[in-house]
Amino acid sequence: QSILNVADANVSGNDNIGNVYIRTTDAQAADVGGKLTLGSYYNATSHYAFAGIAGRKENATSNNVAGYLQFLSTTSAGALTERMRLDPQGRLGIGTTSPGKNVDIEASDPRLRLSSNASNNATVELLSNAKTSYIYSQNSGNLNLQANNELILLASAGTERARIDSSGRLLS
């Protein structure tokens, strides 16, 4: 049995107050808003927040309700630190508080991993103007670039250096 149990009718996604509403009583300002923290005991007698989720005001402009969703976790030293942010434009930042693209990963050694736990390929599908291209890794370890009935262009410094046409011919 839980200590807190909230039961209410469904609240649609575009209502500004949900079934549970956490807010601060501070004056309106940038980076102010409600936060939910989750934690437990970390030794026999002391407890600490291990992670948190916050809804914050993006700016200090009166009557501007733009906000962001902040995801926090603790380091081994115990500092509750922002790790990920969903900004008012719907951009997701990992390791950055100001994402510049739809998904923005910032780190000293950034990596994105797609792992297949079956016999399938790990695939990145690129869709532009109803045309699909793929970058995928086969189980053999081969890296594949696939442009369906289109060219594959290789460029450096903004200049095309070579292309592979739909017949597989290398042109330069």
Side-chain angles (χ1 to χ4, degrees):
Q1 186 173 9
S2 63
I3 300 296
L4 175 65
N5 183 344
V6 177
D8 197 3
N10 183 56
V11 177
S12 69
N14 56 2
D15 287 344
N16 73 343
I17 296 179
N19 297 91
V20 176
Y21 182 46
I22 300 171
R23 65 181 178 94
T24 64
T25 57
D26 300 305
Q28 73 98 28
D31 303 317
V32 172
K35 179 170 74 172
L36 174 67
T37 54
L38 308 165
S40 183
Y41 285 95
Y42 68 93
N43 62 29
T45 59
S46 301
H47 55 86
Y48 200 81
F50 301 132
I53 301 171
R56 306 278 191 201
K57 186 169 180 359
E58 182 191 47
N59 56 63
T61 306
S62 183
N63 295 319
N64 184 325
V65 296
Y68 61 90
L69 186 60
Q70 180 184 53
F71 298 86
L72 308 112
S73 66
T74 55
T75 63
S76 60
L80 195 58
T81 305
E82 182 172 344
R83 305 295 181 189
M84 187 167 62
R85 178 180 293 204
L86 183 62
D87 77 5
Q89 291 75 36
R91 297 178 299 215
L92 180 65
I94 301 173
T96 178
T97 59
S98 55
K101 301 292 179 189
N102 292 352
V103 177
D104 193 343
I105 301 172
E106 188 173 306
S108 59
D109 185 19
R111 295 171 185 231
L112 179 64
R113 175 180 286 180
L114 302 175
S115 297
S116 174
N117 59 4
S119 60
N120 300 319
N121 299 326
T123 304
V124 175
E125 183 175 311
L126 308 169
L127 180 64
S128 178
N129 200 24
K131 298 192 185 263
T132 307
S133 299
Y134 303 93
I135 302 170
Y136 62 96
S137 174
Q138 292 178 311
N139 293 329
S140 62
N142 294 334
L143 177 66
N144 295 274
L145 301 175
Q146 178 181 333
N148 292 337
N149 299 319
E150 301 295 330
L151 299 171
I152 295 176
L153 303 176
L154 303 174
S156 64
T159 302
E160 181 181 323
R161 305 297 181 183
R163 67 174 55 199
I164 301 171
D165 69 12
S166 60
S167 299
R169 294 179 301 200
L170 178 62
L171 310 170
S172 57

